[in-house]
Amino acid sequence: YLLNTQHIRSEDDYFCARTCRAALDWLDSNKKSEPFLLWFETFDPHEPWDAPPRFQKMYRNDYPCERTIFGYGIDHKRVVPDDYPLLRDLYAAEVSYTDFIVGRLLKGIEERGLFENSIILFTTDHGTHLGEEGCIQKQAKLLNQCYTHIPFIIKHPDRGFAGKKVDAPVSMIDFVPTVLHMLGISDYTNIDGESAWKLANGEKESIHGCVHTVTTEGFASAHNSEWHFFQHYKGANTGLGPALYNNKQDPTHSRNVLREHVDIARELRAQLIDYLREEIPP
């Protein structure tokens, strides 16, 4: 990473800014070729957390060294609670910089006369931990909302949908059916998931009773409107589960209430077994 960033002299040299320029150049070449799809993906705010100095200064004046980076290969056992405020500031700076560049992209779309007639979607692949129960970065052993709760924001040309929020659970597998639905495409087969646009337009109140997350590290979760449950499904490592959280009373998943609601935990565990189609440890 250091080798690939030694050329940086200004904010515009960072990867996120360069990606934005490439996207706007692509739009200039293709804006008359309707319909079109532009997929804009920034690796930020993924690690390394190395935002331009201006954005780091938004959160603290003094850093431990001239270029403070939280990157790959960190030994989590050496990260202590005293480090958390610094890491949160580095992450916040990275998010703020990414937000600034996304704003630049949206402004560029608007300046090219494409904003009003375009569907724009914003999402990501996962969240991260910033010290919750001693976890830094995404750690499957704590498969809670820090890891699994992601944004899914849609800007639609029909202003009647502006500001509308949907509370029903939606999964990543629903993204493609949602986009196809908005484009009026229905003659497809062999695609998992449901269209979340049916929730926005009032066609349905829910598309899933429960949504799931499964990790390669051997943990899985079941999530509905009220409850979130996770546990290990293979191996001896139980992580920080099994755990049950109340989404409405505890949206940040800070309190494991499994012992208080054993029946609900068992019901969601049965959901996991049905979804995984295999037995899981008790």
Side-chain angles (χ1 to χ4, degrees):
Y1 175 77
L2 293 175
L3 188 64
N4 287 335
T5 56
Q6 61 181 339
H7 67 283
I8 288 178
R9 297 293 181 270
S10 72
E11 290 179 9
D12 289 336
D13 294 329
Y14 283 76
F15 298 138
C16 197
R18 291 165 60 191
T19 305
C20 181
R21 285 202 303 277
L24 293 177
D25 288 345
W26 187 93
L27 278 179
D28 287 336
S29 299
N30 293 276
K31 61 185 178 183
K32 295 181 180 179
S33 304
E34 297 181 3
F36 63 77
L37 167 68
L38 168 63
W39 183 292
F40 175 76
E41 181 170 352
T42 71
F43 198 58
D44 301 307
H46 200 287
E47 304 88 5
W49 297 334
D50 182 32
R54 175 166 70 100
F55 293 88
Q56 289 195 352
K57 290 290 186 180
M58 291 169 60
Y59 296 94
R60 66 169 59 205
N61 289 319
D62 299 317
Y63 285 86
C65 55
E66 183 177 351
R67 188 179 179 189
T68 304
I69 302 173
F70 182 79
Y72 303 106
I74 299 297
D75 181 356
H76 291 122
K77 295 179 181 178
R78 298 182 63 184
V79 178
V80 297
D82 287 347
D83 297 323
Y84 295 165
L86 171 64
L87 299 183
R88 288 168 182 154
D89 288 345
L90 288 172
Y91 179 70
E94 196 75 34
V95 170
S96 294
Y97 174 61
T98 306
D99 183 67
F100 171 75
I101 296 298
V102 170
R104 179 181 292 179
L105 175 68
L106 295 176
K107 183 67 174 177
I109 293 172
E110 188 175 26
E111 290 172 346
R112 286 157 177 80
L114 299 169
F115 191 83
E116 293 300 328
N117 196 39
S118 295
I119 296 172
I120 302 174
L121 297 93
F122 176 86
T123 189
T124 187
D125 54 345
H126 61 77
T128 195
H129 293 104
L130 293 169
E132 293 82 3
E133 297 193 43
C135 293
I136 289 292
Q137 300 175 290
K138 68 177 192 295
Q139 294 196 35
K141 68 179 182 180
L142 182 60
L143 195 58
N144 64 357
Q145 67 87 29
C146 298
Y147 191 139
T148 64
H149 187 192
I150 62 172
F152 187 39
I153 303 171
I154 301 172
K155 195 289 296 183
H156 194 276
D158 185 344
R159 291 179 174 270
F161 292 102
K164 186 176 181 63
K165 295 182 179 181
V166 171
D167 292 328
V170 173
S171 173
M172 282 184 179
I173 62 172
D174 302 320
F175 290 0
V176 170
T178 300
V179 172
L180 294 176
H181 187 179
M182 287 190 291
L183 297 176
I185 300 172
S186 58
D187 58 341
Y188 58 85
T189 59
N190 299 323
I191 294 181
D192 292 330
E194 298 284 344
S195 170
W197 194 243
K198 296 176 182 178
L199 304 173
N201 66 16
E203 190 175 335
K204 286 190 174 183
E205 292 186 1
S206 66
I207 56 175
H208 299 292
C210 202
V211 294
H212 305 86
T213 300
V214 183
T215 76
T216 56
E217 296 91 343
F219 293 86
S221 69
H223 179 105
N224 60 33
S225 295
E226 188 170 3
W227 301 99
H228 179 96
F229 171 82
F230 84 86
Q231 74 159 86
H232 66 302
Y233 66 92
K234 63 180 179 181
N237 180 12
T238 60
L240 295 172
L244 177 72
Y245 305 99
N246 188 304
N247 297 322
K248 295 182 178 179
Q249 297 178 7
D250 179 25
T252 62
H253 291 179
S254 60
R255 182 168 175 263
N256 182 358
V257 294
L258 184 142
R259 294 185 181 277
E260 300 166 34
H261 302 279
V262 174
D263 290 344
I264 292 172
R266 286 176 176 157
E267 180 181 330
L268 290 173
R269 179 180 175 275
Q271 286 266 11
L272 272 184
I273 292 174
D274 183 61
Y275 180 76
L276 295 168
R277 298 181 183 178
E278 63 179 79
E279 277 298 320
I280 61 177

